[in-house]
Amino acid sequence: MKAITFLLEAKQPILATSFQGDPNSDVSYPYIPGSMIRGALISRYIKRHPELPNDFLSEEINKESNQEIKRLFFNGSNRYLNAYLFCEEQEKRTLPVPLPWYQNKDEELFSTEILDLSQNIPETSSLKRINEKFCIVNNSQVIFYQDKRRINIHNLRDRTKGRSSPIKRNPDNNQVIQKGEGAIFRYEALDSGQIFQAIILCEDNDADTIEKLLKPEDIWLGGSQSAGYGHTKIIKIDSYKIDNGKNKEWSEIGIEVKNRINRKKLRVTLLSDTIVRNNCGQISTDPLSVKQAIEEKLEHKLKIKIQLPQPTDIFISSKVVGGFNRKWGLSLPQMTAVSAGSVFVFNTQLTEEQIKTLENEGIGERCIDGFGRIAINWLGTYEKFNINLLQVDSEPDINIEEEYHDLAAQIAENILRQRLERCLVEKVSYIKLTENITNTQLSRLEMAAREGLNTLHNLQSCAYLPICNLLNNLTSKAREQYRNTQVSGTKSSLEEKIKIWLEKPIGNSKSWLPNPEELTVNVAGVIREIQPNSNLAKEYTLRFIMAVAKKAKKENN
């Protein structure tokens, strides 16, 4: 077999619709699905072979050209893998982040180590899962990548008139005769300028035909192609011979199989969403169904009967997947799949031949569309990984006319506030108070913080004064509640923690915002940042205290 790799550069936003979002929006996958690439190449093949009948998949037709298109795109011998983000600096294709990766809950992503719970589960329980989507792993070093999105708002219109039309009703009974147009909907697509790497695994005698289908370089992928979406450029086509026992083998994860055998445990990582069935033939996300799919693939391809033990550790998630058939003009049936990044750990070993078979063939259904890709013992035996930050070129200086400085400053201010809002919500979500304090005292704290917000721009008064007065004039019973209420993740009482937040709101390890420099905004040379004693810092500190009080009241209820 051969592996054909090529890069896809998005010249326009790409809409690869997933099942996220509300009914009035289409949210794209963070990658280009293999089914989309396969569909585009089928369309090219049909255009170049006009002699093909409309029902070329019919079993009654047995022409040579019909057999070729079936072999290329339909019988499963060739597989079209998902196109993931491509790192030009590393010259590698990114892969989904494994689900066993966690970090300490109270630390920022880029200032902490990553723990691999499939290797060892630490005693501490204050962990959170890594939210990044794609990564590149170099031994114990990890680089994270995030896809860029573009959101466009559209309105439904009458195709004949070229504009929206009102609802037509029967004047006698007021019933709707014709539904109106003009509904607002939103597309969240993969932004242009990004580069993805796609892979096609094919038989040796099909490689030349598929490489010819990848030319010319301009190709359209995804939905709404007539509305400015989908233009993609194919660049840098390469072909590799999959291991024939003589040359250096090709691997999707870039690590030779001989370096991944004879481990104490067998770790199976899903590199794409996987559709499997249980013993009753129903679509399932049960880990035992994944185990059964591995056994069935080895039995089918190698003609050997193998019985894997029960998995000792499981890190799994699921999602709904589907697709669209342009020939039918209809959506494909929706199925529940095991999410990419899921990991299964077994107390057993597989031979080199068995690992190669599983990684080349995949498991489960729709392998032809890139589903069911797996990697065996991908991450080695490292219990911790360090995050490697790539050096990003500094942004070029942008000189704008003086009359636009105020506008740039306002934009920077709005962006800074948006970042502060997101940071505030995230920080509050990690805070939990013990149940020693009553809702009455929390309401008084909230009212004092709100009073401070109302006097924020009064130069003759201190914004923190209402809260200080509240804490200084507490009754003995109320003070006891404040001192007995503990803040999660710390040994401090609520009274002590509020005083720390007021004295050192930002820029300190005990502050609610320890790294304010990460929120700095630069718009056309106009820089906006949050200073420790600024009104902005006081405003969001008071809002932070209000949010903590509101959350605690809700939890008490």
Side-chain angles (χ1 to χ4, degrees), residues 442-456 463 466-467 539 541-543 545-547 549-550 553:
L442 292 171
S443 296
R444 292 181 64 192
L445 177 61
E446 186 180 346
M447 291 172 61
R450 183 175 286 109
E451 184 181 347
L453 283 176
N454 294 335
T455 62
L456 187 63
I467 293 183
E539 175 187 346
T541 299
L542 292 171
R543 291 181 58 185
I545 294 174
M546 289 175 60
K550 284 183 178 180
K553 286 197 301 182

Side-chain angles (χ1 to χ4, degrees), residues 27 33 180 218 311 339 364:
V27 181
D218 291 308
S339 298

Side-chain angles (χ1 to χ4, degrees), residues 414-466:
N414 293 341
I415 295 174
L416 178 59
R417 284 184 173 274
Q418 289 177 358
R419 292 181 179 179
L420 282 168
E421 292 283 351
R422 290 196 296 267
C423 185
L424 187 148
V425 171
E426 181 183 2
K427 297 294 183 182
V428 171
S429 66
Y430 298 147
I431 291 182
K432 183 177 178 60
L433 305 181
T434 57
E435 300 178 3
N436 296 327
I437 190 166
T438 63
N439 282 358
T440 302
Q441 296 302 327
L442 292 171
S443 296
R444 292 181 64 192
L445 177 61
E446 186 180 346
M447 291 172 61
R450 183 175 286 109
E451 184 181 347
L453 283 176
N454 294 335
T455 62
L456 187 63
H457 298 288
N458 188 346
L459 300 179
Q460 297 180 352
S461 61
C462 176
Y464 295 154
L465 186 61

Side-chain angles (χ1 to χ4, degrees), residues 391-408:
Q391 295 293 329
V392 181
D393 295 336
S394 58
E395 297 181 1
D397 295 333
I398 301 176
N399 298 319
I400 60 173
E401 298 179 11
E402 188 174 352
E403 59 182 305
Y404 297 116
H405 275 207
D406 292 341
L407 178 61

Side-chain angles (χ1 to χ4, degrees), residues 142-156:
V142 178
I143 306 173
F144 288 113
Y145 295 86
Q146 187 74 25
D147 58 298
K148 298 177 182 178
R149 300 294 180 115
R150 178 179 296 184
I151 298 176
N152 289 328
I153 307 298
H154 300 272
N155 68 298
L156 196 61

Side-chain angles (χ1 to χ4, degrees), residues 17-31:
T17 306
S18 64
F19 291 99
Q20 304 176 52
D22 58 75
N24 291 326
S25 67
D26 282 344
V27 181
S28 179
Y29 285 110
Y31 56 87

Side-chain angles (χ1 to χ4, degrees), residues 299-335:
E299 183 177 355
H300 174 68
K301 288 294 180 180
L302 301 180
K303 309 302 181 185
I304 59 173
K305 188 79 173 178
I306 185 170
Q307 186 71 30
L308 294 176
Q310 298 292 335
T312 57
D313 293 298
I314 300 168
F315 303 87
I316 192 172
S317 180
S318 62
K319 62 166 60 173
V320 177
V321 298
F324 189 83
N325 190 309
R326 300 183 73 90
K327 177 70 173 178
W328 301 343
L330 296 171
S331 299
L332 296 179
Q334 298 181 18
M335 302 178 181

